[in-house]
Amino acid sequence: MSRRLRADPRLVLFLGVLGASFSAIFVRWSQAPSLVTATGRLGWTVLLLLPAVLRSHRAELRAATRRDLLLCALSGACLALHFSTWFESLKWTSIASSTVLVSTEVIFSALGFALFLHGRVPKLGVAAIALAFAGSVALALADAGGGGALAGDLLAVLAAAAVAVYTLIGQVQRSRQSTTVYTFLTYTACLLVLLALDAATGTPVLGWGLREAVVGLLLAVFCTLLGHSLFSWSLKWLSPAYVSAAKLCEPVFASVLGLLLFGEGIGPLQGAGAAAVLAGVLLYTKAEGRRP
C-alpha cells in the first residue's frame, strides 16, 4: 500500500466503501443462482488469501485450538447464510431497499452484544433502534405490492442478522487471532457450507460460463479484499464509530449505481423508509461513539 494511503486512512476507508458498494451491482449482473454466485465469491477469496496465509501465518494456523476452529466454523456458517440470503434478496427487491436493510447489521450487532456478551445499549441507542425499525416497516409497506419485493426485504433483514452474528464472533476471535488467520478460517468454513448447500439443493457449481467466474472474481477482489479488508485496516487509525458511519455511504452509492445502470427509481415512501433506517443506524453509531 502506498505511502500516501498510509498517511490518509480516510481515503483508504472511502475506497473500501466504494468497493463494497459494487457488491449489489455485480450480483445483479450474475445470471446464476444465488448459491452459485456466493460460492464463486468465497472460492476466489480463499484462493487469493491462501498464499499469504501459507507464507506468513502457518505457525498461527497450526496453533489454532478446537475452540477457535469451532467458532470460526460457526462464523463461516453465518457468513454463508448472509451471502446466500442477501444475494437472493437482490433478485426480488430493489438495490436501494436491499442494501439499506442489510445496513441494519449494526443494530443486530448491538442487540447481540447486549444479550450474549453482557454489553449495554445506550439510551440514545434504543431510540436509534426504534427509528431504524420504523424505517424498515416503511420500506416493507412500500414494497408490499411489488410481487416478491417484500420477500426480498425480509431476506435482506435475515442477511443483516446473520452477518451481525459473524461480526460478534469476530469481536471475540480477533483478541485471540490475527485478522488474516481468522478471516481465512472463517472464509474457508463459509465456502464449505456453501458447497454443502449446493450439494443438498442439487445446484451445480461449475458449468455457468466465463461470466459467472468473472462475477465471482470481481466480488472477491473489489467487495471482499478491497472492501471489507480495508474497513479492518482503517480501524487501526480511525474509531469504530467513524468507520461505521462511513459505511452508511454504501447503500447510497449502491442506490445511485442501481439508478444509473438498471434504471431503478426510488418512490416517496421507499425513500422516507430508507432515510429513517440510515438515520437510525447513524444515530446509534453516534451513541456508541460517545461511550468511553
Side-chain angles (χ1 to χ4, degrees), residues 8-291:
D8 192 354
R10 289 172 297 181
L11 177 58
V12 177
L13 178 59
F14 172 78
L15 294 175
V17 172
L18 189 60
S21 301
F22 278 90
S23 183
I25 305 303
F26 295 148
V27 172
R28 275 295 178 84
W29 278 336
S30 172
Q31 296 178 347
S34 301
L35 278 176
V36 173
T37 307
T39 304
R41 175 176 182 168
L42 268 296
W44 278 112
T45 301
V46 171
L47 186 63
L48 293 172
L49 276 177
L50 185 60
V53 172
L54 294 179
R55 183 177 63 250
S56 306
H57 298 275
R58 282 181 293 179
E60 184 184 352
L61 199 61
R62 288 194 297 266
T65 65
R66 179 180 297 181
R67 175 182 180 275
D68 294 329
L69 296 177
L70 287 175
L71 284 176
C72 288
L74 177 59
S75 180
C78 291
L79 194 60
L81 177 61
H82 164 73
F83 283 136
S84 57
T85 52
W86 184 47
F87 288 3
E88 187 66 20
S89 166
L90 286 163
K91 295 182 182 297
W92 294 97
T93 191
S94 67
I95 289 175
S97 292
S98 184
T99 53
V100 165
L101 289 172
V102 163
S103 73
T104 59
E105 168 206 344
V106 66
I107 303 298
F108 286 105
S109 295
L111 295 175
F113 181 65
L115 291 174
F116 302 111
L117 298 182
H118 308 294
R120 185 176 63 86
V121 177
K123 292 181 180 179
L124 185 60
V126 175
I129 292 173
L131 180 59
F133 177 77
S136 301
V137 171
L139 276 173
L141 291 174
D143 291 336
L150 181 58
D153 291 346
L154 294 176
L155 285 171
V157 173
L158 178 58
V163 79
V165 178
Y166 156 78
T167 300
L168 290 171
I169 295 174
Q171 287 181 331
V172 174
Q173 285 302 102
R174 284 185 194 121
S175 64
R176 300 167 49 85
Q177 295 177 299
S178 67
T179 301
T180 301
V181 169
Y182 167 69
T183 54
F184 176 75
L185 290 174
T186 298
Y187 291 158
T188 301
C190 179
L191 176 60
L192 294 175
V193 170
L194 288 170
L195 289 172
L197 290 174
D198 291 325
T201 58
T203 305
V205 178
L206 303 177
W208 294 96
L210 180 62
R211 178 194 187 99
E212 302 307 323
V214 171
V215 167
L217 179 60
L218 290 173
L219 284 167
V221 172
F222 288 96
C223 307
T224 303
L225 300 179
L226 295 180
H228 295 281
S229 295
L230 293 187
F231 297 156
S232 299
W233 182 89
S234 63
L235 283 170
K236 294 181 180 180
W237 288 272
L238 301 171
S239 71
Y242 187 95
V243 173
S244 297
K247 286 171 68 176
L248 290 180
C249 295
E250 181 181 338
V252 177
F253 291 158
S255 298
V256 172
L257 290 170
L259 176 62
L260 294 176
L261 297 175
F262 302 109
E264 293 188 2
I266 300 176
L269 184 56
Q270 186 184 24
V277 171
L278 294 178
V281 176
L282 179 60
L283 185 62
Y284 187 86
T285 302
K286 287 188 174 182
E288 281 290 321
R290 293 178 181 177
R291 300 175 71 178

